[in-house]
Amino acid sequence: MGNRKISADLKFAAIRLHEQGILRLSEILNCVGFSRMTFYRIKKLYNDTGNIVKPRSQYTGRPHINLKDLHYLLELIHHHPDWFLDELTTLM
């Protein structure tokens, strides 16, 4: 079927139908159009967090370096020109 966006209200409806026992799981999956594995993944998230959508990470994208960090790195490089990059990153 592929990777596609499933709306939150459709996920919630599937969970509620299953919890209420209104329809069998096979009928629910036939109506909503996602797999059994996807359903159970959504249900686990709902049971664990009370939410059906994963919270977005605050750490998306590439980290940025500020001016203070840049000056700190330049001083380290000036005083220790033989250090490797991994040694410098552990100090930040």
Side-chain angles (χ1 to χ4, degrees), residues 40-86:
Y40 282 115
R41 191 177 303 121
I42 294 166
K43 186 171 167 106
K44 180 178 180 343
L45 180 66
Y46 181 71
N47 290 337
D48 292 347
T49 66
N51 201 342
I52 52 169
V53 180
K54 281 194 243 180
R56 292 184 52 90
S57 173
Q58 64 180 356
Y59 301 111
T60 58
R62 187 176 50 152
H64 297 284
I65 188 167
N66 61 32
L67 195 56
K68 185 178 175 183
D69 291 337
L70 180 62
H71 287 299
Y72 177 67
L73 277 174
L74 289 173
E75 284 295 316
L76 283 174
I77 293 168
H78 184 285
H79 291 290
H80 305 279
D82 57 330
W83 281 9
F84 289 99
L85 185 58
D86 62 334

Side-chain angles (χ1 to χ4, degrees), residues 3-45:
N3 194 7
R4 65 181 173 94
K5 175 91 169 128
I6 302 170
S7 66
D9 58 339
L10 187 62
K11 293 176 184 179
F12 190 68
I15 296 294
R16 296 298 299 183
L17 285 170
H18 186 260
E19 285 181 341
Q20 300 289 324
I22 297 171
L23 295 173
R24 292 184 310 212
L25 182 58
S26 60
E27 295 172 324
I28 295 169
L29 296 177
N30 190 34
C31 291
V32 296
F34 48 79
S35 70
R36 185 176 297 270
M37 181 175 274
T38 299
F39 174 80
Y40 282 115
R41 191 177 303 121
I42 294 166
K43 186 171 167 106
K44 180 178 180 343
L45 180 66

